[in-house]
Amino acid sequence: MTEYEAVIGIETHVELQTNSKMFCGCAVDFNAEANTVVCPVCLALPGALPVPNASAIDGILSIGAALSCELVEHSLFHRKNYFYPDLPKNYQISQYDVPLCADGHIDIVADGEPFRIGITRVHMEEDTGKSTHIGDDGRIRAASHSLLDFNRAGVPLVEIVTEPDIRTAEQARVYGAELQMIVRTLGVSDARLEEGSMRFDVNVSLRPVGQEEFGTRTEVKNVNSLRSMYRAIEFEIARQTEVLDSGGTIVQETRHWNEDSQRTTSMRSKEDSEDYRYFQEPDLLPLHIDAAWSARVYAAIPELPAIRRSRYLETGIDMVTAGVMVADAGLGELFDAAVASGADPKQAANWITGEVVANLRRTERQLADLPLSAEHLTQLDEMVSAGSLSATAAKDVLGGVMDGEGSPEQVAQSRDLLQISDTGALTTEVNTVLADNEDAVDKMRSGDMKPLGFLVGQVMKATGGKADPRMVSELIRNSVKE
Amino acid sequence: MSDLADLSITSAHELLDSGETSSSELLDAVLKRAGITESHLHAYLTIDKAGAAEAAARADERIAAGDGAQMTGIPIALKDNMVTKGVETTCSSKILSGWIPPYDGTAVSRLKEVDAVTVGKTNLDEFAMGSSTENSAYGVTRNPWDTERVPGGSSGGSAAVVAAGSAFAALGSDTGGSVRQPAALCGVVGLKPTYGLVSRYGLIAFASSLDQIGPITRSVEDAVVVLEAIAGHDVMDATSYRGAVPDFRAGLSAGVAGLRVGVAAELLRDDMQPEVLAATRKMVDQLSDAGAAVRQVSLPSVEYALSAYYLIAPAEASANLARFDGVRYGLRVDGETTEEMMARTRAEGFGPEVIRRILLGTYALSAGYYDAFYGQAQRVRTLVRRDFAAAYENVDVLVSPTSPTTAFSVGEKSTDPIAMYYSDVCTIPSNLSGDPAISVPIGLDDAGLPIGFQVMAPSLGEPVLFQAAAEIERLADFTARPRLATSEVT
Amino acid sequence: MPVEIDIAKVAKLARLALNDEQLASYGEQLGAILEHAERVQAMATDDVEPTSHPLAMTNSFRADVVIPSLDRDEVLSQAPDSVEGQFAVPRILE
Ligand SMILES: [Mg+2]
Ligand SMILES: [Zn+2]
């Protein structure tokens, strides 16, 4: 049996969240009623002309910069010609041989291994409209007719193309997740896979291990979750292996990921390979990204996930916990602020990724809606270290704070959860209990430690449960030894 | 010439200003003229009587309030490839039959802003592809000087209405000579401004990097007046010129003394009509007599300009016309599938010349041929620009005939595309370079048909272009009027 | 020499439903036009940059500002076919 290696490249489309579309002033609004955010330009009415949105150019440059790309000084728009009813002009304004960003890379860790994926290019284009196929449960072939909504037509779209550097489904999944985080961190897109504001096309081919040249690839479309991407790649690897092992050849084609059957199916073969007749868009001028513009882009880049992650790991938090706070910028910011005001990183991270996340999930609230500040976490941490709160009580108190009962001090007071951790006060209580239970004390002195639990219980009872049980046990042991 | 319809814009403006006439009267005169001439010419596709009357009434109020601009109240016609809100716009194509646009193009709205009066929409070669206005889905337009002949094209309707007096001026569009050549054939003035000076927003695209809107008028000064109303940066057109608009009037009465005038042998060819050559040479001599320094220049790559143009323009057109697909507006011819519907709609909706150019452009851009055809044509375009730049180091303007011939007969060239394409041999180079050029009538040939004289200037050289053109107009003293615009018909 | 071209393929790319007779006729005409257009290949242009545009400007942008869209009824009134606010077309072959 030949052993194969998968060669995977990913093209990702990301819709930018600008106010207006790429080439016209229509709002970017996915909730609007069909065909209500359209104008002569995005409907391709005769005579209308495109004018590029400056913010969209800034958005793509920031993605390019975040992916360590070169921001290309002189860049061009091209027309990509093909007829499709959801493409109003029947050409897409895109970029061809000189994209805005080129030659970048991204570092990920997958299956415990650090891995670098080359970014070939990041280019600017425009989205198409949306077609709905009527007649047979939305399936295109069986439809009697189709309906077209052009609200999405002309929404700024960034295409990010990797080198064929990816070898496993897991690497692909991690890449997708990391890219999503980067785009969200930059604030240029909500990058929601399920809503199509981020979409993957995955190219998969196999080659015998050790062989240099690539095998024939298939392109899988309609992958709208990270899990689907993982499964689609696994499926394609298995399918292609089977074809090759049985002496067949792979057909270069576009395949469709079917979520229900969890399979890829053939959409169309590329024998009639598209001839896009690219040529420079004469309605638009060349782009010139000068040094000042690049500098402005770099200056505006926030801390990226990879940097944040390594910063968190340095504080001693584990990879998983760090990952949660990298993936959710709000949690990360809360953590940073708590640590900055003096909280122990591990403690703060545990509360944030534990109680806070659980509470958000349960109450279906946003972090911003919680009456919880970084200072609250710091205060809570101080109370635990000082022994005035038990670890368990601290979680209760945190819950109270998130329920709006006030600061940790106030919650601990009102819920009566403060511990007596003053040794002097506790010693008095311990001595009283020991004096009242001489039998038990004698038993312990003769080496029978059974009564310890009973004695601790008595002290707890006497203090109304506010004593630190560990401290009480310690005090009893010490005084019995004497 | 007592008829109001024959006045220049500048004289009509004076009468409006002094209250001696009204916009409504000007409109009546023009409509009355159209009533007589249209049955012979078929220059208008749409006459918007109601809209024009309202505009004229608004203009009259504005003038009465002392707030009239040069173009206020002036009846003007628009080539039907300019988008007009609420008024059918067809591009002379079946594929846009019945299309009522929801917006105005920028040149149109700028004219509306000063309350110029749009009389109607004029006929053209379908999608501006042609040089005779015979390629219209809605019938041929005829030349007011001889209705057996073509008015030129593609802005033939616009040139014909100005010559006939059924509009004071008209807007045309010029991709390879489509304003200048019909102006020459109809004995009127036609200007192609510097590329980018007039917004293309709302001009139905033929070839985006070549198209430019320009005025057709009965005098050079009228061309200035119209250009002033429509020129200047437009945020809706990314290719619109962002700098300050030059002072077009700077040289209007300066004469040509000391002006360096270049004559290119490549644009004065032996195969041109002898009377055209003779008239051109005579005007060059007159310019020299008037003090211009005439010198010979060479534009060697102009030989290849026509070939380059017939690759570049169709290539851009093949993409620009892809939007006509039966989905969102215009004609639809049914089909089983959308693909079939689109292909049938386009085959039925476009006329033969348009189909020819779409096929040509598609081929020139397709895989394997791009470099040899489209790519090479663009390099030739660079050479043409270099030739012009070199020439303008030694001269201020270049001159040539506008068209190799005067108006030819209807049907004469319509079956021979290459002969037809040759009509634009003198005008195409300025579209490739993006520079301004103007055609001024200078005389008649033996058949009594007008001869146009072309002046070309470097980019944004409109002031010197108008300076030369105004003097040529004085020297030519061209006062002849087409038969249709005189009492013979009325 | 007229240029030989695969006219059926070009017509398909251009989405034009032409019959065999039309294809033959257009093929011939195009061949003749291209014979002339081919002259551009005679120019030595190895060191010449192509010109895509007559303007020597760059960076024409619009600000990211929303402007009102068109009225849907007005837009759809021009459509050959529409259903409930959407443009309708026959089924689409993938
Ligand atoms: Mg793309
Ligand atoms: Zn729009």
Side-chain angles (χ1 to χ4, degrees):
Chain A
M1 268 294 144
T2 320
E3 225 190 290
Y4 296 105
E5 172 183 56
V7 175
I8 301 161
I10 300 176
E11 288 169 27
T12 309
H13 285 91
V14 176
E15 278 176 337
L16 297 184
Q17 247 173 352
T18 43
N19 299 320
S20 61
K21 292 186 182 181
M22 184 63 218
F23 296 113
C24 66
C26 290
V28 172
D29 179 359
F30 302 135
N31 300 317
E33 265 191 74
N35 293 307
T36 55
V37 277
V38 294
C39 74
V41 179
C42 57
L43 272 179
L45 296 192
L49 295 172
V51 183
N53 180 339
S55 296
I57 304 294
D58 281 332
I60 182 180
L61 291 175
S62 70
I63 293 176
L67 296 174
S68 306
C69 291
E70 175 205 346
L71 305 186
V72 179
E73 192 182 348
H74 297 282
S75 178
L76 297 171
F77 285 111
H78 272 67
R79 289 185 184 177
K80 179 182 182 179
N81 296 285
Y82 65 98
F83 282 85
Y84 203 80
D86 66 12
L87 183 65
K89 297 186 289 293
N90 286 312
Y91 58 81
Q92 181 192 36
I93 300 178
S94 182
Q95 295 195 283
Y96 183 49
D97 50 356
V98 267
L100 273 158
C101 318
D103 294 331
H105 62 262
I106 181 168
D107 291 314
I108 59 163
V109 177
D111 299 316
E113 293 285 317
F115 197 82
R116 173 166 288 194
I117 297 168
I119 301 293
T120 314
R121 57 187 285 149
V122 180
H123 77 239
M124 188 83 245
E125 55 186 37
E126 53 178 339
D127 211 344
T128 61
K130 187 170 155 240
S131 41
T132 314
H133 310 294
I134 306 299
D136 189 78
D137 58 12
R139 273 170 58 231
I140 189 164
R141 268 177 242 242
S144 65
H145 64 286
S146 297
L147 299 181
L148 297 161
D149 168 16
F150 292 103
N151 284 351
R152 254 179 209 269
V155 167
L157 199 60
V158 169
E159 182 173 326
I160 301 151
V161 183
T162 73
E163 291 289 302
D165 286 346
I166 301 166
R167 294 289 170 267
T168 67
E170 177 60 9
Q171 286 171 355
R173 195 192 61 74
V174 175
Y175 164 74
E178 188 75 10
L179 189 58
Q180 187 179 41
M181 272 187 266
I182 290 173
V183 166
R184 286 179 178 170
T185 302
L186 294 171
V188 295
S189 173
D190 60 3
R192 286 172 192 259
L193 289 157
E194 64 286 1
E195 283 169 22
S197 58
M198 184 175 195
R199 332 193 259 267
F200 301 115
D201 296 336
V202 188
N203 289 288
V204 183
S205 67
L206 296 185
R207 65 180 171 191
V209 171
Q211 180 182 302
E212 270 290 311
E213 51 295 8
F214 297 145
T216 305
R217 66 191 164 89
T218 57
E219 184 178 16
V220 185
K221 292 192 183 277
N222 190 43
V223 183
N224 47 22
S225 74
L226 292 169
R227 201 172 54 168
S228 300
M229 177 153 72
Y230 183 93
R231 294 193 176 162
I233 291 171
E234 291 276 273
F235 180 87
E236 247 334 85
I237 291 173
R239 187 189 69 84
Q240 292 188 20
T241 303
E242 204 178 300
V243 171
L244 292 172
D245 281 348
S246 60
T249 49
I250 304 299
V251 184
Q252 186 174 342
E253 61 182 355
T254 304
R255 298 180 69 86
H256 179 93
W257 172 247
N258 191 315
E259 201 62 65
D260 296 332
S261 64
Q262 296 282 299
R263 306 167 60 84
T264 67
T265 48
S266 179
M267 275 169 83
R268 61 185 126 104
S269 77
K270 287 246 168 131
E271 29 98 10
D272 213 22
S273 126
E274 298 267 15
D275 183 347
Y276 291 122
R277 290 158 286 137
Y278 279 100
F279 72 102
Q280 195 179 322
E281 168 56 281
D283 286 332
L284 297 173
L285 300 179
L287 299 163
H288 180 218
I289 313 302
D290 61 14
W293 193 344
S294 301
R296 219 164 53 231
V297 170
Y298 282 110
I301 301 269
E303 184 183 42
L304 293 169
I307 295 169
R308 178 168 284 212
R309 186 182 300 113
S310 59
R311 187 160 62 74
Y312 288 173
L313 291 177
E314 275 166 26
T315 67
I317 324 174
D318 66 274
M319 189 78 173
V320 175
T321 310
V324 174
M325 295 191 301
V326 171
D328 187 322
L331 297 179
E333 278 156 25
L334 180 61
F335 171 77
D336 288 340
V339 172
S341 64
D344 172 62
K346 272 190 182 168
Q347 181 61 272
N350 286 339
W351 280 329
I352 290 170
T353 60
E355 277 64 38
V356 174
V357 169
N359 185 291
L360 291 176
R361 221 169 273 159
R362 196 179 63 245
T363 60
E364 293 180 354
R365 284 186 292 184
Q366 298 296 313
L367 185 59
D369 304 333
L370 282 191
L372 173 70
S373 71
E375 287 69 31
H376 289 153
L377 292 174
T378 309
Q379 215 180 85
L380 201 59
D381 183 40
E382 278 164 4
M383 290 167 75
V384 172
S385 341
S388 56
L389 265 186
S390 71
T392 322
K395 292 180 181 178
D396 279 353
V397 171
L398 183 52
V401 173
M402 290 190 283
D403 289 344
E405 293 169 22
S407 71
E409 283 275 1
Q410 291 165 326
V411 177
Q413 292 280 1
S414 62
R415 291 196 179 187
D416 204 10
L417 291 170
L418 282 172
Q419 287 186 148
I420 301 169
S421 52
D422 175 344
T423 323
L426 272 185
T427 306
T428 314
E429 297 288 347
V430 166
N431 288 342
T432 312
V433 168
L434 292 186
D436 290 350
N437 294 281
E438 278 177 12
D439 292 357
V441 172
D442 287 344
K443 270 191 188 162
M444 284 179 69
R445 284 206 170 119
S446 65
D448 181 357
M449 296 305 281
K450 272 186 209 138
L452 178 60
F454 166 75
L455 293 173
V456 171
Q458 290 303 105
V459 176
M460 295 305 286
K461 200 171 167 187
T463 58
K466 287 182 209 161
D468 179 344
R470 272 171 314 176
M471 203 180 278
V472 171
S473 148
E474 192 76 13
L475 286 172
I476 294 172
R477 282 166 187 276
N478 287 344
S479 72
V480 168
K481 257 184 237 164
E482 277 159 14
Chain B
M1 234 179 50
S2 56
D3 196 323
L4 281 175
D6 294 310
L7 291 173
S8 68
I9 295 175
T10 44
S11 5
H13 173 69
E14 277 170 29
L15 295 184
L16 287 170
D17 239 11
S18 63
E20 285 164 74
T21 189
S22 67
S23 176
S24 304
E25 278 174 4
L26 296 180
L27 177 63
D28 283 347
V30 154
L31 289 175
K32 187 173 161 232
R33 179 68 59 83
I36 298 157
T37 59
E38 270 308 291
S39 58
H40 303 274
L41 298 180
H42 185 51
Y44 277 109
L45 291 178
T46 305
I47 292 182
D48 180 17
K49 277 189 186 169
E54 279 173 36
R58 268 199 309 276
D60 284 330
E61 276 177 33
R62 184 166 173 165
I63 293 163
D67 187 26
Q70 284 272 311
M71 282 303 293
T72 307
I74 303 296
I76 185 165
L78 303 171
K79 187 177 182 178
D80 201 30
N81 60 353
M82 287 171 218
V83 172
T84 45
K85 186 174 164 68
V87 176
E88 185 178 3
T89 302
T90 67
C91 234
S92 287
S93 181
K94 218 159 76 176
I95 211 158
L96 266 185
S97 173
W99 183 51
I100 309 294
Y103 80 106
D104 274 323
T106 299
V108 176
S109 56
R110 287 190 179 173
L111 288 171
K112 274 191 182 171
E113 274 160 31
V114 294
D115 285 314
V117 175
T118 301
V119 182
K121 310 291 292 288
T122 60
N123 201 9
L124 62 146
D125 286 298
E126 184 180 358
F127 284 100
M129 296 176 182
S131 309
S132 66
T133 317
E134 290 166 292
N135 303 330
S136 165
Y138 305 105
V140 176
T141 291
R142 309 217 163 220
N143 193 313
W145 294 81
D146 178 352
T147 55
E148 294 305 308
R149 294 178 186 262
V150 302
S154 64
S155 311
S158 284
V161 296
V162 176
S166 49
F168 279 74
L171 294 188
S173 66
D174 191 316
T175 306
S178 280
V179 160
R180 290 161 287 160
Q181 185 259 18
L185 270 50
C186 290
V188 289
V189 172
L191 169 75
K192 183 199 88 76
T194 300
Y195 182 87
L197 198 55
V198 179
S199 169
R200 293 184 296 114
Y201 188 71
L203 170 67
I204 301 178
F206 164 12
S208 313
S209 77
L210 303 163
D211 293 345
Q212 188 61 193
I213 291 176
I216 295 175
T217 55
R218 290 192 290 259
S219 76
V220 173
E221 194 178 355
D222 280 3
V224 172
V225 170
V226 178
L227 185 62
E228 282 172 337
I230 60 175
H233 181 63
D234 175 22
V235 290
M236 300 302 284
D237 177 359
T239 65
S240 132
Y241 176 66
R242 291 196 294 260
V245 170
D247 176 7
F248 303 132
R249 295 174 181 273
L252 270 186
S253 48
V256 291
L259 195 75
R260 298 169 305 163
V261 174
V263 181
E266 292 86 352
L267 296 177
L268 268 181
R269 298 155 47 138
D270 290 343
D271 58 0
M272 292 174 174
Q273 188 179 320
E275 296 131 292
V276 170
L277 284 176
T280 306
R281 293 199 172 106
K282 184 181 161 205
M283 178 49 70
V284 170
D285 289 344
Q286 285 179 279
L287 284 168
S288 177
D289 293 345
V294 175
R295 58 185 72 176
Q296 296 296 315
V297 299
S298 181
L299 303 169
S301 44
V302 151
E303 295 277 332
Y304 299 91
L306 195 61
S307 296
Y309 173 84
Y310 276 98
L311 292 168
I312 294 170
E316 292 183 11
S318 71
N320 284 333
L321 271 61
R323 66 186 58 193
F324 301 97
D325 60 4
V327 174
R328 283 145 293 126
Y329 43 79
L331 179 76
R332 172 181 293 187
V333 178
D334 279 327
E336 274 291 298
T337 64
T338 284
E339 290 73 9
E340 197 174 89
M341 177 278 283
M342 283 184 178
R344 285 184 182 171
T345 298
R346 291 166 57 77
E348 285 271 315
F350 291 134
E353 181 62 26
V354 174
I355 289 179
R356 196 148 47 221
R357 295 202 200 189
I358 289 174
L359 291 170
L360 185 56
T362 302
Y363 174 79
L365 288 173
S366 63
Y369 304 102
Y370 180 96
D371 284 331
F373 288 104
Y374 187 71
Q376 185 69 4
Q378 286 191 316
R379 286 188 198 90
V380 169
R381 188 170 186 182
T382 305
L383 295 178
V384 170
R385 287 164 60 87
R386 282 188 195 167
D387 280 359
F388 273 116
Y392 288 130
E393 281 180 16
N394 300 310
V395 300
D396 300 307
V397 294
L398 290 164
V399 298
S400 78
T402 306
S403 164
T405 67
T406 54
F408 43 92
S409 298
V410 171
E412 186 181 330
K413 296 181 181 177
S414 52
T415 53
D416 184 353
I418 292 161
M420 185 72 86
Y421 297 169
Y422 184 65
S423 321
D424 296 327
V425 66
C426 296
T427 47
I428 277 172
S430 304
N431 296 89
L432 291 177
S433 68
D435 298 339
I438 192 168
S439 177
V440 182
I442 54 167
L444 299 175
D445 71 0
D446 295 347
L449 298 167
I451 296 168
F453 185 83
Q454 179 177 236
V455 188
M456 295 163 272
S459 180
L460 297 167
E462 273 81 358
V464 72
L465 188 81
F466 287 132
Q467 179 186 345
E471 184 62 17
I472 290 160
E473 186 178 50
R474 278 189 287 273
L475 293 170
D477 192 24
F478 181 81
T479 53
R481 300 287 297 142
R483 201 176 60 90
L484 265 179
T486 62
S487 52
E488 276 179 57
V489 177
T490 54
Chain C
M1 272 279 288
V3 177
E4 281 288 326
I5 65 178
D6 184 349
I7 190 73
K9 189 180 158 196
V10 177
K12 195 178 170 206
L13 270 178
R15 276 280 199 284
L16 289 163
L18 303 176
N19 61 35
D20 290 347
E21 197 184 319
Q22 290 171 316
L23 285 174
S25 160
Y26 282 117
E28 207 173 299
Q29 294 168 36
L30 253 62
I33 297 166
L34 283 167
E35 188 182 347
H36 282 256
E38 228 177 11
R39 284 160 41 94
V40 294
Q41 289 160 23
M43 303 247 358
T45 50
D46 294 344
D47 59 333
V48 178
E49 281 290 307
T51 294
S52 297
H53 221 275
L55 282 178
M57 299 194 310
T58 58
N59 291 358
S60 212
F61 299 119
R62 40 174 285 275
D64 185 19
V65 173
V66 172
I67 56 173
S69 295
L70 290 171
D71 174 68
R72 181 166 76 179
D73 292 341
E74 189 178 7
V75 166
L76 291 176
S77 73
Q78 297 300 309
D81 191 10
S82 68
V83 175
E84 288 166 6
Q86 302 207 55
F87 295 88
V89 292
R91 76 193 165 88
I92 300 168
L93 279 183
E94 190 58 43

